[in-house]
Amino acid sequence: MTRELVELAQKGDHEAFEHLCGRMAGRLYATAVLVLRDGEAARDAVQETLIEVWRRLPMLREPDAFGGWVQRILVRRCYAAVGRRRRLAEISVVDLDASTASPEADLVLVDQVERAFRRLTPAQRAILTLHHRLGYGDTDTAEILGIPVGTVKSRLNRAKSALRASIDADERSVTSTKGQLA
Amino acid sequence: MNANEIDRHLDIWFDVVEPRSAPADVLPGVFAVTRTTHQRHGLAGRFATLAAERRMPARVESSLSFRLLVVLLALLVTIISVAGAAGALLQMFPRSVEDGAIVVETVGPPRGLALLLPDGTVTAITPPDREEICAIFSPDGSRVAFFSAPLRTAADPEPAYELAIANATQGAARQLPVRAYRLPQEPSPPSWSPDGSAVVAVLLRPDQSMPISGDLMIVPINGSEPRPLLRSPLVREGEDTEPGLYRFQGVQWSPDGAWIAFRGELFDDQGWRYFVGVVRPDGSDLRLLDRWPLVGSLEWGGVVWSPDSTQVAYHRRPEGVASGGMDVHIASIDGAPVRPLEDVANAFVAEWSPDGGRIATVGLSVDSAHVFDVESGAAAALPVDGATYGATWSARGDRLAVLGDDSLWIVEPDGGETSEILAGVTSSLCAAVGPSLSWQEVGQ
């Protein structure tokens, strides 16, 4: 079904493209929010991505590759948005919606991971989001990010190491502060 | 904290922060750009008919000769898509306007090439068993170079493209001897040498397992063997990246024939960066004129030569900025410092004026069409609506043809009139790989 829609959209069928957009929007927005940690920037990145997808769609030779191809464009848009945000020095914060937290969620842990995640590079956030969260395999992740599979593995390891180091440092800082207060 | 704990922490955090749905307003901006096309001048109906006739054998109406030295010769990549009443979509390379000779590209599947002749006749030149894209006229307008592939089948779902040329007066395609190459994921159209004896193109090697980075190849049209100009390191699954130049795009032969310009991505001990470079047609004297961090998007497109073949213009992110809108920059092949022009976000270079004094730009943003003064760097907006995908100067440099979302405009950038000469069209993606049109005055 997706293939048919992509082929129709390649012919300029707006309804088919709109249908595809509707299907993809949630996943794209989730990816953008996780990579950017900024709701407004994520919204812009998704919109820019869909515009770019529409314009370049006729050049996509294999409609079955559509999903990964769109994610690849989105990730690049997210990288661009990070730089744009630095340029404009405007950073909005994504609110953690307590109502969506799982019952077992440890809010302290969530806060720690949030801080550590923000300290990662956009490329590290992207690979954790695509591979760890969205479940793309090594090959698909490599295609989306435009890097060899070997680099996916090494980048993923480095991202997790950086995350762990950041959380550990955070914990040491909290422990040290508590000790000083005591 | 061990690896399993990190994974568990990440899972919990993702559960909390991942949005469950997209905001309701995340989509509308898209459809403001992808306007519904409409029919004026009756063109769309004819194209719809053509699309239905794509199964017919190719032929050209020989009695209708091309007027080769007439008016707007459209080259390279900008494609206009035309949607007919039945939803058929075609892309077309405007070849001339006043005399009406146009080459069109159907957007299939399968995609193919056809000619729109001065009397409005549309004739397919692509055989029914092939798909053909990215047609580029030779400098004298007598031939068209393009990529051609057999139709996909279950046995061969990803057939290789071949470079091919067609005689513009007869339409018969002749395959160039490049049979084993596939195109990169984001194909870049070929570029003719000024004398019309060869084209340069970006093609994948057969042993390139990931279709993301091709080689620069020079293909003589006399049938002799293609010659690699610059090669990317192979990209294979499971292997680390080697230092080198990757993802060549926007290749363009210089007007004097002495250089070939291109852009792409560079990997070295400093990591990934974008670059713009030039090289001699014999593969010597490679010069990387500019490099900048590879973190942005929209980093594809063209490189355009100054008329004297001493400078190139291109778009890139501003210096010192990790990402953001594309600005026009100029680099000299003698290595002089790169010079940015006025900051006009998302302006994509289209063409340098014949006298070398100005550069026309286009772009997806509604205010991207500009004319830049090369000396002062100042930009003046062009009075056209919506996104634009290609612009070309008249030989005298007093007018510009601009391809927009819905129209082909003739603009007098010094404050004269703007007229819409073709409507009912919508532009497509090929600006992605370097928009360019060219214009020849009658009798020149």
Side-chain angles (χ1 to χ4, degrees), chain B residues 42-59:
Chain B
L43 290 174
R46 286 203 295 276
F47 295 156
T49 304
L50 169 71
E53 292 174 348
R54 273 275 286 117
R55 291 182 294 278
M56 295 176 62
R59 66 184 177 85

Side-chain angles (χ1 to χ4, degrees), chain B residues 26-392:
Chain B
V26 75
L27 295 178
V30 176
F31 301 105
V33 173
T34 58
R35 301 175 187 174
T36 301
T37 55
H38 50 88
Q39 297 178 71
R40 275 180 266 175
H41 299 272
L43 290 174
R46 286 203 295 276
F47 295 156
T49 304
L50 169 71
E53 292 174 348
R54 273 275 286 117
R55 291 182 294 278
M56 295 176 62
R59 66 184 177 85
V60 167
E61 312 240 348
S62 58
S63 62
L64 295 166
S65 62
F66 270 167
R67 301 174 190 184
L68 297 177
L69 298 179
V70 183
V71 201
L72 196 64
L73 175 64
L75 295 178
L76 307 183
V77 260
T78 299
I79 296 174
I80 305 172
S81 302
V82 179
L89 180 72
L90 292 92
Q91 297 175 314
M92 63 186 192
F93 299 83
R95 171 153 170 71
S96 76
V97 178
E98 290 168 14
D99 278 5
I102 292 174
V103 165
V104 298
E105 179 181 332
T106 67
V107 176
R111 283 165 280 179
L113 304 175
L115 305 176
L116 171 61
L117 297 174
D119 68 348
T121 307
V122 182
T123 306
I125 61 172
T126 296
D129 59 346
R130 299 194 73 82
E131 178 175 77
E132 295 178 337
I133 60 171
C134 286
I136 309 292
F137 281 97
S138 62
D140 67 359
S142 65
R143 286 167 293 198
V144 181
F146 51 93
F147 295 122
S148 176
L151 295 184
R152 284 190 288 262
T153 63
D156 187 5
E158 196 65 24
Y161 274 104
E162 300 160 345
L163 262 175
I165 57 171
N167 186 319
T169 58
Q170 298 172 4
R174 177 166 69 83
Q175 307 306 319
L176 293 170
V178 184
R179 299 188 176 280
Y181 291 88
R182 291 174 295 138
L183 300 183
Q185 202 170 46
E186 295 166 0
S188 199
S191 175
W192 286 85
S193 62
D195 64 3
S197 65
V199 295
V200 59
V202 183
L203 301 164
L204 289 177
R205 269 177 281 173
D207 52 351
Q208 184 72 279
S209 63
M210 295 175 70
I212 59 174
S213 187
D215 295 338
L216 274 187
M217 301 282 295
I218 288 189
V219 187
I221 66 164
N222 63 5
S224 55
E225 280 301 302
R227 179 165 49 84
L229 185 60
L230 289 176
R231 292 196 149 192
S232 288
L234 287 179
V235 181
R236 292 197 180 100
E237 289 186 13
E239 293 184 2
D240 285 335
T241 304
E242 294 177 31
L245 304 180
Y246 293 79
R247 295 182 194 275
F248 297 114
Q249 282 191 339
V251 55
Q252 192 173 44
W253 218 304
S254 65
D256 66 2
W259 295 94
I260 291 168
F262 47 92
R263 60 192 299 158
E265 297 176 9
L266 159 72
F267 183 74
D268 60 12
D269 56 2
Q270 295 183 46
W272 283 102
R273 285 173 291 168
Y274 291 110
F275 74 88
V276 163
V278 294
V279 67
R280 297 283 188 184
D282 63 3
S284 67
D285 205 4
L286 170 66
R287 303 178 186 181
L288 300 187
L289 306 178
D290 193 9
R291 305 160 221 217
W292 61 100
L294 192 158
V295 289
S297 93
L298 280 176
E299 294 285 328
W300 30 260
V303 181
V304 300
W305 280 100
S306 60
D308 62 2
S309 300
T310 62
Q311 300 179 95
V312 293
Y314 52 98
H315 45 267
R316 53 155 285 186
R317 275 171 285 108
E319 190 64 43
V321 175
S323 187
M326 301 294 109
D327 289 348
V328 176
H329 288 64
I330 292 176
S332 299
I333 58 173
D334 64 5
V338 169
R339 186 161 67 92
L341 303 188
E342 183 179 328
D343 184 356
V344 175
N346 296 319
F348 283 52
V349 293
E351 195 175 82
W352 214 303
S353 66
D355 64 3
R358 295 187 286 188
I359 295 170
T361 65
V362 295
L364 186 59
S365 303
V366 293
D367 55 354
S368 296
H370 282 77
V371 168
F372 288 78
D373 183 89
V374 172
E375 187 173 345
S376 69
L382 293 175
V384 295
D385 296 328
T388 49
Y389 302 90
T392 183

